[in-house]
Amino acid sequence: NSQINLSSVGSLALPESFTSSLSSFLSQIEGAHKDLLTSSYKSSQTLSSAFRTFWQKVCSNLGILFFDPLTSEAKNLSSDIIHKAIFNYQEINELLLENSRSLKQNGFEPQVLIKTDSPLFFLDLNSERKRLVAHDGKFFHGTTAINKEELERLILEETSRFTSSALIRPILQDSFFRTLAYICGPSEFSYWAQIKPLYQYFNIAQPMVVPRSNFRLIEPKYKRILEKSGFELKDIAVNRSELLAKRF
């Protein structure tokens, strides 16, 4: 398709070409869930609904509930946060910038760049999802100017047009469901430190952040090659210059 669809990924409908490619791929492999995949990922489904349908079938005996934040009902629950995040964007961005500076001073590199002229939400207009940008008292979706009154109307009446950026997404999630703990990797750890002021600003309890367990699998063949070359398993994690310095 020569026309690029810039809508939210979850709302993209699967084309016939995808389902035919999936069937072709699955015909070449063995697996227990092939029929579930083909029955879930149909051309009539969106990526979000296909993903949910597949995992509902796989986990049918586990009592797991699936929540789709892209539904209009879920978006309507988000309207207060969306309104506050958009119209108070300067105050919010200043909090994030101040926290990013503090993290840098303590040796942490912020994971997300703060766009000082943008709220933390995207707006979908004319099948194009773009980050809102503020300028001269107005908000812009690309080159289209939107005044305050129209933006307030969209938030109230067409909330499903708004989707979150990475920094505000956890706030929305935890406003729906209180989260006890979030298990994350090293990069995400810095990311969660970066968004701490947002939890305070929106008066939502931030979950405990628990480091994810790390391990490395290595086949016996490659373990022998490492040992024969004079390296240890821990050397895999060091950079090239350190590795060369140790070896030569």
Side-chain angles (χ1 to χ4, degrees), residues 219-231:
E219 296 178 35
K221 172 185 175 181
Y222 299 108
K223 184 174 184 292
R224 289 193 297 269
I225 292 174
L226 282 172
E227 293 171 346
K228 186 177 180 180
S229 302
F231 295 115

Side-chain angles (χ1 to χ4, degrees), residues 171-223:
I171 302 300
L172 286 174
Q173 292 172 177
D174 293 332
S175 71
F176 295 143
F177 307 103
R178 292 293 187 261
T179 307
L180 177 62
Y182 184 86
I183 302 172
C184 63
S187 296
E188 290 175 295
F189 212 90
S190 298
Y191 165 82
W192 276 83
Q194 189 177 0
I195 65 175
K196 183 177 181 179
L198 293 183
Y199 279 93
Q200 299 167 343
Y201 187 80
F202 287 96
N203 195 29
I204 295 173
Q206 185 175 17
M208 293 185 292
V209 182
V210 181
R212 184 178 63 222
S213 298
N214 292 299
F215 59 91
R216 182 176 289 112
L217 294 176
I218 183 166
E219 296 178 35
K221 172 185 175 181
Y222 299 108
K223 184 174 184 292

Side-chain angles (χ1 to χ4, degrees), residues 126-197:
N126 302 318
S127 297
E128 290 189 342
R129 177 180 181 264
K130 292 184 178 180
R131 181 82 171 261
L132 285 169
V133 177
H135 182 69
D136 285 342
K138 292 184 178 180
F139 291 92
F140 286 82
H141 176 273
T143 58
T144 303
I146 307 172
N147 60 35
K148 180 181 178 181
E149 291 72 22
E150 174 61 11
L151 194 54
E152 286 185 326
R153 186 195 68 78
L154 288 171
I155 294 172
L156 183 63
E157 300 177 8
E158 302 183 49
T159 320
S160 58
R161 290 186 178 276
F162 294 88
T163 49
S164 60
S165 64
L167 288 174
I168 197 75
R169 189 174 300 122
I171 302 300
L172 286 174
Q173 292 172 177
D174 293 332
S175 71
F176 295 143
F177 307 103
R178 292 293 187 261
T179 307
L180 177 62
Y182 184 86
I183 302 172
C184 63
S187 296
E188 290 175 295
F189 212 90
S190 298
Y191 165 82
W192 276 83
Q194 189 177 0
I195 65 175
K196 183 177 181 179

Side-chain angles (χ1 to χ4, degrees), residues 59 86 115 135 152 162 186 230 237-238 243:
C59 305
I86 290 177
K115 297 183 178 180
H135 182 69
E152 286 185 326
F162 294 88
V238 305
L243 198 61

Side-chain angles (χ1 to χ4, degrees), residues 13 20 40 45 72 89 111 122 160 184 191 213 218 221 240:
S20 60
S40 301
Q45 298 271 21
S72 58
Y89 79 94
Q111 295 297 306
F122 292 81
S160 58
C184 63
Y191 165 82
S213 298
I218 183 166
K221 172 185 175 181
R240 187 170 183 269

